[in-house]
Amino acid sequence: MSVQQPWAFAIARGGKSVSNQSFPTAYRGPLLIHASMRVDLKACDSPLIQAAGWDPRDPLATIGAVIAVAELDDVCSAAVRGAACECGPWADSASHHWLLSGIRALPRPIVALGRTDLWQPTPTLLKEVETMFAAAALNNAN
């Protein structure tokens, strides 16, 4: 899933567990969080983004790279239908709320191409993510 910065950073580092999307999805399962090549400059000054620790010097503030993994647990479309939802402060009332859990930032970004909708990562990219997490676990065990 490709997300504009600084929102991608907020998912990876700042506890943002809701991704606001223009469409719902039946998909549930693992996602790579890809920082797209676009930056929402107005959002950089958002109190939520600032509270998430936004730092453009952080390696995970990069663009055009996978920066985290997460599980897509559910999608809440209540707000789009005009009903109340309790998806928290990150939830935009005009969007479908993709509810994320198990978010893990990568030790370093992996440059990759993304797309505006859900996309299937290449086997090479998946292997690189797995290898990176395995190496980090091994380093933490020593």
Side-chain angles (χ1 to χ4, degrees):
M1 164 174 84
S2 293
V3 180
Q4 289 183 18
Q5 289 290 23
W7 305 109
F9 175 91
I11 292 170
R13 290 253 199 255
K16 183 179 189 295
S17 60
V18 173
S19 180
N20 297 300
Q21 299 292 327
S22 60
F23 59 95
T25 181
Y27 175 78
R28 302 295 183 271
L31 292 173
L32 297 180
I33 307 301
H34 175 267
S36 74
M37 295 297 289
R38 299 185 70 192
V39 177
D40 183 348
L41 293 174
K42 287 188 254 178
C44 295
D45 295 327
S46 156
L48 282 172
I49 292 296
Q50 292 301 310
W54 171 244
D55 180 356
R57 297 165 301 187
D58 186 302
L60 297 187
T62 191
I63 59 173
V66 174
I67 63 169
V69 298
E71 288 289 321
L72 175 57
D73 288 337
D74 202 2
V75 175
C76 174
S77 299
V80 175
R81 294 189 308 267
C85 78
E86 297 187 19
C87 294
W90 294 102
D92 174 42
S93 63
S95 298
H96 300 273
H97 309 146
W98 292 20
L99 307 176
L100 308 174
S101 68
I103 299 165
R104 296 183 297 156
L106 269 62
R108 61 177 171 71
I110 300 172
V111 174
L113 294 175
R115 291 194 358 216
T116 56
D117 55 358
L118 281 178
W119 48 275
Q120 180 68 40
T122 65
T124 303
L125 178 57
L126 290 174
K127 183 68 173 166
E128 194 170 351
V129 169
E130 291 170 8
T131 301
M132 188 178 289
F133 277 130
L138 186 59
N139 287 337
N140 290 337
N142 292 333

